[in-house]
Amino acid sequence: MTTVILAEKPSQARSYIEAFKNSTKKQGYYAVSDPVLPNETFITYGFGHLVELATPEQYDTKYKQWALSNLPIFPEKYKFTVPTDKKAQFKIVKDLLSKADTIIVATDSDREGENIAWSIMTQAKINLKSKEIKRLWINFLEKEAILKGFKELKNGWDYYPAYQEAQTRQISDWLVGMNGSPLYTLLLKEAGLHGVYSIGRVQTPTLYMVYQRDLAIQNFNPEPYFELKAEILAEQQKFVAKLDPYQRFKDEKSLLAFMSEKRLEKGSQSGLIKDVKKQTKKTSSPRLFSLSSLQSEINKRYHASASDTLQAVQNLYEAKLLTYPRTDSNYITEQEFNYLVENLNGYLGFLSKDVSLNHHEPNKRYVNGKKVQEHHAIIMTKSVPTQEKLSKFPALEQRIYNLVLRTTLAMFADPYEFEETVILTSIGDAVFKATGNVPKNQGWKVLFSDYKTEKQEEETTLPLVEVGQSINANLAPDQKMTTPPVPFTEGTLITAMKTAGKTLDDEEAQAILKDNEGIGTEATRANVLDVLKKRGYLLTEKNKLHVSQQGITLCKAVELEPLLTSPEMTAKWEKALKQISAKERTQENFLEQIKKFVSKIIHDVPTQMKQSDSLTSQVASQKDTEQQAELDAQIGICPICKTGKIVDKGKFYGCTNYKATDPCTFSLPKKWSEKALGKTAIKDLITKGETTKLKGFKSKKTGKKFDAKLTIKEGKLSFDFG
């Protein structure tokens, strides 16, 4: 009886092998043995996705050239292919699976892991009903967890609906992208714009959220307003109070009218302490981290991108220091809570201050098995590294481990406790309120006291006063200006994706679970942002995200079809996709809805775009921008063909006639003999045929540096030592 374990990638397979007693490396797989495994067991692996959806031209060669007449593209049956560079490994996996009596799916324990494994098994065209299929489902890559997982394998067929959900998401994204991208690209080309305009089921509403925020900032008109504050002097001690209930006034006239009505005067006047309330309050520690809340916090603290954070957490997971990263839960079960309690002393070794961790009973704010569905929150594993070992990790990984460690330990600490004092002061017929806090027990905050990265507001301490005490108050109108919305960062955009654009504070956002679907998934949101940045639609400046000129054009085009830009609609799609894995909806039902949507935009968008004055204006603006950029990039007339222009082509300088009927292949490098060539040198070569003497060339033979002129002779670059 042969058993084959299918891992997602080589590094995952190695983690399993390290847990087993014996292993022998083969070409593309391992032979393994261990008491928890049956006899004759092998581990093989993919390279992530070994199987991909076929591109349109693989259905019909007519799709090689984009044409509106070819839309919509709705295959009767979806084809899957193995990329050329992965065919050798696929054959190894296929041969092993064919011979197997039992297949253990050991890819990542999530929907995408199911998609990877079942896609491989399906593409291998083996009779899966004749095989026993088991599922390894773990949150840790530690030896103990791996061995326990192999002892408690689950029925693989129970996870088949999760594969159907993931595959449906994959196909629906293909349908929207493969139809939407040609549609908008060709229509914008008709309007005179070049380039490819990419459409995505998730990426388009995400881009549009940033566009709307940019627009709100751009169109914001600051307006003045007035507040009335009182500087109160009581027994030679000063404090500041504001109107209660708080009010702001649109102009000084309305403020003065209010003051007259309430018998208030500018400047000094007397008043009385009306009330003093003291109340002890407690604040719980932050919730445990889901992937999105961790990405948001790390971006806020260190300006790391969402994808960099995901990769760093993945590395810590594979290093067996953190639990599974792609989780949307902020909760753990009692099982994880118990092992954390057992290892508290080891974790405390990382802290430079003594912290009391006395709460060893589960708190439902953090420990709630009913709210853990696929994976629990990101926490430390039982493997506690030494400080020396952790110091060898990259800086971002060290920071993430430390933050997860402190946030997890905080649930064992006392709440932060403070005494809140509220002083109400009567002045004229108005009441002014001042609030101050006095820390009583730092509690969990001690864990973060030597770990601050941002300025934190100091606590306001109020003087001791008594009810009925006379005071002197100085009233001063305070003119302020309204402030614009804040630009998105990757962290706040990840949160907005999770909440489908709803405005929530950090605490509320962290509490969102599966019953409040956002757009994208924990596993895909970082990749969506990467795609938008790589395609040049999103620009990052000092950790703030803005939409590029090309992105604005795309947003103005897609906003004519609101379903493409609606986070709420995309969130509903995500919810419908989840219903597939819950067996409440079929793949066919969902894809039919997507096809109706695609047909609608193909029918409606051409007319909408022609009738849009806003889009016409934006297209004209982008044309001007592109023409100016082209002029700025031009260095001079091509010395060979005499008609083309030499421009910066990225890795080299080349002629604009390269793709002409009679192509000109003249080009100049950006680096020659280890010396970078700037635009001044290139311009001299084109206009004068030679440069001045340049320093810093390096001989390939001797490695010595030398000075020389550069010249162009018969279209070729050469040295002139004269």
Side-chain angles (χ1 to χ4, degrees), residues 279-431:
Q279 183 180 3
T280 298
K281 291 191 171 183
K282 296 179 180 181
T283 303
S284 299
S285 68
R287 292 183 183 274
L288 302 177
F289 284 120
S290 65
L291 176 59
S292 57
S293 63
L294 181 57
Q295 286 169 320
S296 182
E297 185 64 22
I298 290 294
N299 177 260
K300 178 178 163 186
R301 287 174 176 266
Y302 305 113
H303 296 178
S305 71
S307 59
D308 285 347
T309 298
L310 174 55
Q311 185 57 56
V313 185
Q314 178 70 25
N315 293 342
L316 289 165
Y317 169 65
E318 292 182 8
K320 305 174 178 61
L321 297 182
L322 291 184
T323 57
Y324 187 72
R326 293 171 180 82
T327 174
D328 60 1
S329 178
N330 301 102
Y331 296 89
I332 58 175
T333 70
E334 289 197 19
Q335 185 178 340
E336 290 79 51
F337 183 83
N338 291 337
Y339 88 66
L340 289 171
V341 172
E342 291 170 5
N343 287 276
L344 281 181
N345 289 335
Y347 302 134
L348 283 168
F350 280 88
L351 306 178
S352 58
K353 293 188 176 182
D354 290 333
V355 186
S356 297
L357 303 179
N358 301 320
H359 296 266
H360 294 177
E361 293 299 319
N363 181 332
K364 283 195 174 181
R365 177 177 169 81
Y366 318 98
V367 186
N368 189 337
K370 291 179 181 178
K371 293 194 175 183
V372 177
Q373 296 187 31
E374 292 178 349
H375 297 283
H376 56 67
I378 300 171
I379 57 174
M380 306 81 69
T381 64
K382 298 175 187 177
S383 300
V384 185
T386 61
Q387 285 281 12
E388 182 183 5
K389 179 181 177 181
L390 192 67
S391 68
K392 294 176 182 177
F393 284 76
L396 182 59
E397 291 172 26
Q398 292 184 51
R399 286 168 167 171
I400 288 172
Y401 185 81
N402 266 294
L403 184 59
V404 171
L405 175 94
R406 291 163 191 266
T407 303
T408 305
L409 294 183
M411 70 175 167
F412 296 101
D414 291 336
Y416 168 62
E417 190 174 325
F418 60 95
E419 183 181 72
E420 180 187 77
T421 301
V422 177
I423 299 176
L424 299 179
T425 305
S426 291
I427 306 169
D429 294 332
V431 176

Side-chain angles (χ1 to χ4, degrees), residues 49-294:
H49 286 274
L50 281 185
V51 179
E52 299 174 356
L53 268 168
T55 55
E57 60 266 26
Q58 290 174 296
Y59 291 89
D60 193 322
T61 54
K62 72 178 182 180
Y63 295 130
K64 281 187 177 180
Q65 295 295 322
W66 283 1
L68 291 174
S69 59
N70 286 337
L71 302 179
I73 303 172
F74 292 157
E76 287 185 19
K77 187 176 181 181
Y78 296 96
K79 293 182 181 179
F80 292 83
T81 62
V82 178
T84 303
D85 61 341
K86 297 179 179 180
K87 282 186 176 178
Q89 181 61 20
F90 177 77
K91 185 178 185 308
I92 292 169
V93 176
K94 178 181 177 179
D95 290 345
L96 284 166
L97 294 177
S98 299
K99 296 172 186 174
D101 298 293
T102 300
I103 299 171
I104 300 174
V105 175
T107 49
D108 277 355
S109 303
D110 59 17
R111 288 166 174 77
E112 205 50 45
E114 297 301 330
N115 192 13
I116 288 170
W118 286 92
S119 293
I120 291 171
M121 293 190 291
T122 303
Q123 191 72 10
K125 293 183 171 57
I126 56 178
N127 183 1
L128 294 175
K129 294 291 185 181
S130 69
K131 314 281 185 182
E132 184 178 23
I133 298 178
K134 296 289 187 181
R135 207 344 165 164
L136 174 73
W137 195 273
I138 56 177
N139 280 297
F140 312 83
L141 283 178
E142 295 171 290
K143 179 178 179 179
E144 182 184 341
I146 290 170
L147 295 178
K148 185 173 185 290
F150 275 102
K151 286 178 184 175
E152 300 173 356
L153 292 170
K154 301 176 184 297
N155 183 350
W157 287 102
D158 289 347
Y159 295 84
Y160 185 78
Y163 155 62
Q164 290 180 303
E165 178 199 321
Q167 188 191 67
T168 308
R169 180 179 283 106
Q170 184 184 13
I171 294 171
S172 64
D173 288 346
W174 188 96
L175 287 169
V176 173
M178 293 301 171
N179 286 284
S181 298
L183 174 68
Y184 280 91
T185 298
L186 293 169
L187 291 173
L188 288 169
K189 186 177 181 180
E190 287 179 1
L193 293 180
H194 305 292
V196 174
Y197 287 81
S198 174
I199 298 296
R201 185 181 61 85
V202 176
Q203 76 178 45
T204 300
T206 301
L207 177 68
Y208 196 73
M209 281 196 287
V210 183
Y211 168 70
Q212 284 184 305
R213 179 65 59 87
D214 278 357
L215 214 55
I217 295 168
Q218 179 186 325
N219 295 334
F220 181 80
N221 291 315
E223 295 179 356
Y225 67 93
F226 287 83
E227 290 181 342
L228 185 60
K229 65 179 183 180
E231 188 178 76
I232 297 171
L233 180 64
E235 300 292 343
Q236 304 303 312
Q237 295 185 75
K238 290 182 179 179
F239 62 95
V240 176
K242 291 185 178 182
L243 272 174
D244 183 43
Y246 171 77
Q247 269 184 271
R248 62 165 59 178
F249 304 90
K250 63 180 180 180
D251 52 39
E252 192 169 16
K253 182 180 177 182
S254 56
L255 170 61
L256 293 174
F258 173 84
M259 292 180 69
S260 175
E261 180 191 340
K262 296 293 184 180
R263 298 190 300 113
L264 300 173
E265 300 172 1
K266 282 186 182 181
S268 181
Q269 59 214 280
S270 61
L272 288 173
I273 300 297
K274 181 183 178 183
D275 195 12
V276 179
K277 297 176 182 176
K278 291 190 177 182
Q279 183 180 3
T280 298
K281 291 191 171 183
K282 296 179 180 181
T283 303
S284 299
S285 68
R287 292 183 183 274
L288 302 177
F289 284 120
S290 65
L291 176 59
S292 57
S293 63
L294 181 57

Side-chain angles (χ1 to χ4, degrees), residues 464-482:
L464 291 172
V465 293
E466 295 178 356
V467 175
Q469 181 177 335
S470 298
I471 55 91
N472 183 267
N474 184 44
L475 295 186
D478 189 9
Q479 183 175 352
K480 295 183 177 181
M481 300 294 287
T482 55

